[in-house]
Amino acid sequence: MSALAAQLEVQVTGMRLEAEGVISLELRAPERTPLPAWNPGAHIDLLLPSGLVRQYSLCGDPLDNTRLCVAVLLEAKGRGGSREVHDGLRVGQRIAIRGPRNAFPLEAGQRYLFVAGGIGITPILAMARAAERAGADWQLVYGGRSRRSMAFIDELLALGGERVSIQPADETGLLDLEAIAALAADDRHTYSCGPAPLLDALSERFAVEGLAERLHLERFAPAAPAPGAANGQGLTLILARSGMEVPVADDRSVLQALRDAGCSVSTSCEQGVCGMCETRVLAGEVDHRDMLLTDAERARNNVMMVCVSRARTATLTLDL
């Protein structure tokens, strides 16, 4: 994950309304050459014409290297990326992408439970396909506001039949986390993507049931600080190349402190998703809050996403 993927031009070859407020994009290489390989759980960056960069999970078929597919929920109160996709992109238009990258890989196994909330179905759809293709034992619990707002229902039911449980909140209420934990207790690893309240509640329930190690999450936004992590108060950055010391106030991110000090750092999403601001760490312990690095990469403690991550130590020495 250390290096950013190269930029690639693609053409929008299809757009389809998948649910209320959700459209899918089909992307192909302009010369119809093969596209980069990917695995379920991967995402790409869309480099939109306005300059915005947004990350979307791939929801197509990894065995089809002629196209990449993403689905985008229109977020009326968002930062403008989904609005540009919905209102600005058209079939035939060329845009750039980066990736695919995968911070939410589906580990090899034979028994899976998938839990999706709303647009979180996108990486889960690709995972369900892979599990079915591998002959694995899998189940899916899919929640949403209403059936009209839930994408890919017909495709999922065709894929998994009775193994797919569609649970719109206006029909069945909120997802039954106790029942989900009971399914996971049956020797199943659980992969879940959806809004933060769902994932937080799942984490708490699985922790109570002693199942935390079986829960794999992908969040739309940075996770809350880890227990015991230091806050920004008292944090000082030591910039190894210049010897400069940069204090980080409690209400400022590491990235903001660097900018305040006149340091230039490449950034894009500023949500710990794209990896653009990845910075080498020479000393100190990082409190990782990104959604990109794997557990093994975090354990190496040699890089950090300065847009969201902080420190567990009073100082961090950065290769800047």
Side-chain angles (χ1 to χ4, degrees), residues 35-52:
L35 291 164
W38 60 281
N39 291 312
H43 70 271
I44 57 172
D45 301 339
L46 291 189
L47 283 65
L48 298 170
S50 67
L52 293 176

Side-chain angles (χ1 to χ4, degrees), residues 104-108 111-116 124 127 140 189-193 202 214-218:
F104 187 44
L106 181 67
E107 304 295 341
R111 293 174 64 79
Y112 300 106
L113 174 62
F114 302 118
V115 181
I124 299 299
M127 289 181 169
L140 165 64
H189 273 260
T190 301
Y191 290 77
S192 182
C193 182
L202 267 181
R214 296 186 188 176
L215 184 61
H216 312 268
L217 304 178
E218 182 172 65

Side-chain angles (χ1 to χ4, degrees), residues 116-132:
I119 196 62
I121 192 61
T122 49
I124 299 299
L125 173 58
M127 289 181 169
R129 280 203 203 96
E132 178 67 14

Side-chain angles (χ1 to χ4, degrees), residues 44-260:
I44 57 172
D45 301 339
L46 291 189
L47 283 65
L48 298 170
S50 67
L52 293 176
V53 180
R54 294 292 184 265
Q55 293 71 39
Y56 297 104
S57 295
L58 292 167
C59 57
D61 185 349
L63 296 186
D64 181 359
N65 67 359
T66 66
R67 64 176 188 164
L68 297 172
C69 297
V70 298
V72 180
L73 169 67
L74 177 60
E75 298 182 83
K77 297 181 180 179
R79 297 177 298 148
S82 66
R83 173 65 68 185
E84 183 172 352
V85 170
H86 276 247
D87 295 346
L89 294 188
R90 293 293 179 265
V91 173
Q93 191 168 352
R94 296 189 181 192
I95 61 173
I97 65 170
R98 281 195 301 257
R101 299 190 297 271
N102 199 340
F104 187 44
L106 181 67
E107 304 295 341
Q110 288 300 310
R111 293 174 64 79
Y112 300 106
L113 174 62
F114 302 118
V115 181
I119 196 62
I121 192 61
T122 49
I124 299 299
L125 173 58
M127 289 181 169
R129 280 203 203 96
E132 178 67 14
R133 186 170 284 148
D137 177 3
W138 64 275
Q139 294 186 55
L140 165 64
V141 179
Y142 180 17
R145 289 183 290 105
S146 65
R147 288 181 187 271
R148 292 195 309 275
S149 70
M150 299 169 68
F152 307 119
I153 287 180
D154 292 344
E155 188 171 348
L156 289 163
L157 290 174
L159 180 68
E162 294 182 350
R163 290 173 293 171
V164 176
S165 177
I166 305 297
Q167 300 187 22
D170 63 351
E171 297 178 20
T172 61
L174 298 177
L175 297 182
D176 184 342
L177 302 184
E178 187 173 346
I180 289 173
L183 289 172
D186 188 22
D187 197 29
R188 295 176 185 274
H189 273 260
T190 301
Y191 290 77
S192 182
C193 182
L198 169 63
L199 302 189
D200 291 343
L202 267 181
S203 295
E204 292 175 10
R205 171 57 61 178
F206 274 56
V208 167
E209 302 293 340
L211 300 170
E213 291 186 356
R214 296 186 188 176
L215 184 61
H216 312 268
L217 304 178
E218 182 172 65
R219 295 178 179 272
F220 298 151
N231 59 24
Q233 191 171 12
L235 172 60
T236 299
L237 306 175
I238 301 172
L239 310 187
R241 298 184 196 178
S242 64
M244 183 187 303
E245 294 190 1
V246 178
V248 184
D250 196 30
D251 61 348
R252 306 290 284 170
S253 69
V254 170
L255 173 62
Q256 289 169 330
L258 290 170
R259 284 175 172 164
D260 292 345

